[in-house]
Amino acid sequence: MATEFVIYTDESVKDGAYFSNFYGGVLVRSRDLLRVTAQLSDCKAELNLHGELKWTKVTENYLGKYKTVMDAFFDLIAADLAKVRIMFTNNTYVPQGLTSEQRQSEYHRLYYQFIKHGFGLAFSNEEHDGPKRVRLNMDQMPTSREETAKFKSFIEALSRNPEMRRANVDFDRQQIAEVDSKNHDLLQCLDVVLGAMTFRLNNLHLVKPEGQYRRGKRTVAKEKLFKHISARVRVIYPHFNIGESTGTQGDLANRWRHPYRHWKLVPRNHDRDMTRTKP
């Protein structure tokens, strides 16, 4: 009998001051999905949070409730009931030799790389050596119907990739869906984590309103939430560096095993522009 991995994906800032092209995903085994979604739903209900959780909605008044939901989410991650991956690029690495078509399709090309490599699916045989299906629930993409259809064809073709074939991982076009995050608590939690990392890596915690000497209350609240999330990550991995790729400790299978990982994607052909380094 096939094992099914359900992956929810989202993306954030495309052009940040220091880091760009943020993509995030959360993977749940289908056998755990009802339990995971019920725990998050119950947590939100107990807090009277009936609307959509989003990083952009974080305020001082709701900070405590967002921290509580993040605790529930990271409890699931720490128990390996959910796996989270965050991918981004560092602006100092400037791609070279790209064609105009490659530049135009950058959004989908990066998404493809994230899905192909981000979760270490090629190493999932360690958990189950039988057939494995991937169901993708992607936050609605800001691209044309034709571009999205072409992208889904590329994702489906991953089933023929030698590494995926060895791992017995199958991508079915009929199981690639665009969904509304309002209806999925897992996507909402992912949005908050992705937003927090984007916020801190681009030094948005230092921003002050024009003409003001102090940061706005919302900025302060967001920094506090980031620190709370960062502390939960460091419970899993002490001394975690949010701006670098998570190591594998000498075993590539940890790309699959780890419950939480970051991936700083570096183009193969690149130049370094050190004027774009964080101060």
Side-chain angles (χ1 to χ4, degrees):
M1 183 175 179
T3 292
E4 184 178 59
F5 301 137
V6 184
I7 300 178
Y8 295 82
T9 67
D10 193 10
E11 72 280 347
S12 185
V13 171
K14 176 176 172 53
D15 296 305
Y18 308 108
F19 291 84
S20 301
N21 300 307
F22 284 82
Y23 293 80
V26 53
L27 179 151
V28 179
R29 302 164 185 86
S30 60
R31 66 173 184 265
D32 299 322
L33 190 58
L34 284 177
R35 173 184 175 185
V36 167
T37 54
Q39 285 185 220
L40 293 177
S41 178
D42 290 348
C43 180
K44 286 180 63 179
E46 289 171 7
L47 295 167
N48 257 341
L49 287 171
H50 302 297
E52 181 180 12
L53 298 183
K54 289 184 73 69
W55 176 254
T56 55
K57 291 185 176 181
V58 174
T59 63
E60 186 177 33
N61 289 342
Y62 280 85
L63 177 60
K65 293 185 177 184
Y66 269 72
K67 284 182 177 180
T68 300
V69 176
M70 286 295 100
D71 280 337
F73 187 46
F74 273 89
D75 285 347
L76 294 167
I77 296 169
D80 198 31
L81 291 170
K83 294 178 182 289
V84 168
R85 303 293 188 262
I86 305 293
M87 184 185 86
F88 48 83
T89 58
N90 182 316
N91 292 354
T92 65
Y93 294 89
V94 183
Q96 301 297 306
L98 295 181
T99 66
S100 58
E101 190 279 330
Q102 286 174 320
R103 293 185 184 280
Q104 289 175 353
S105 60
E106 180 186 48
Y107 170 83
H108 281 141
R109 285 176 177 272
L110 290 175
Y111 228 141
Y112 174 87
Q113 293 299 322
F114 177 64
I115 292 167
K116 181 180 179 181
H117 298 293
F119 286 94
L121 290 168
F123 301 97
S124 59
N125 262 352
E126 179 179 87
E127 176 172 321
H128 176 68
D129 60 6
K132 291 170 283 291
R133 292 195 303 264
V134 177
R135 175 154 47 109
L136 278 174
N137 289 325
M138 312 179 73
D139 198 22
Q140 293 170 331
M141 292 184 281
T143 51
S144 71
R145 185 175 298 178
E146 293 76 14
E147 290 170 326
T148 300
K150 185 177 179 180
F151 170 72
K152 289 181 179 180
S153 295
F154 279 115
I155 295 298
E156 184 177 46
L158 276 173
S159 300
R160 299 189 292 275
N161 173 271
E163 291 182 343
M164 294 299 177
R165 290 180 66 182
R166 281 194 295 270
N168 217 344
V169 175
D170 181 64
F171 291 81
D172 182 350
R173 184 188 180 90
Q174 301 305 314
Q175 297 297 320
I176 305 173
E178 289 183 83
V179 298
D180 190 337
S181 58
K182 292 178 181 177
N183 302 321
H184 297 274
D185 292 330
L186 276 165
L187 260 179
Q188 294 173 36
C189 289
L190 177 63
D191 176 273
V192 174
V193 175
L194 189 59
M197 298 307 163
T198 303
F199 172 83
R200 184 60 181 81
L201 284 172
N202 283 308
N203 280 0
L204 296 177
H205 64 298
L206 302 177
V207 172
K208 299 173 184 177
E210 189 174 350
Q212 300 294 315
Y213 295 99
R214 294 183 179 180
R215 298 177 298 161
K217 290 182 178 180
R218 180 168 290 197
T219 299
V220 173
K222 286 182 173 181
E223 183 183 27
K224 288 178 179 177
L225 183 56
F226 161 77
K227 287 181 176 179
H228 187 79
I229 292 170
S230 179
R232 289 303 310 255
V233 172
R234 287 179 171 87
V235 169
I236 301 171
Y237 303 116
H239 313 297
F240 190 88
N241 186 341
I242 66 169
E244 295 294 337
S245 296
T246 307
T248 60
Q249 293 80 52
D251 189 346
L252 293 179
N254 281 327
R255 292 177 180 171
W256 164 256
R257 293 188 196 116
H258 285 167
Y260 186 97
R261 291 181 61 83
H262 281 195
W263 178 18
K264 183 181 75 176
L265 178 64
V266 178
R268 288 184 182 179
N269 184 14
H270 67 266
D271 284 342
R272 294 296 301 276
D273 181 358
M274 304 313 292
T275 66
R276 307 180 78 182
T277 304
K278 285 178 72 170

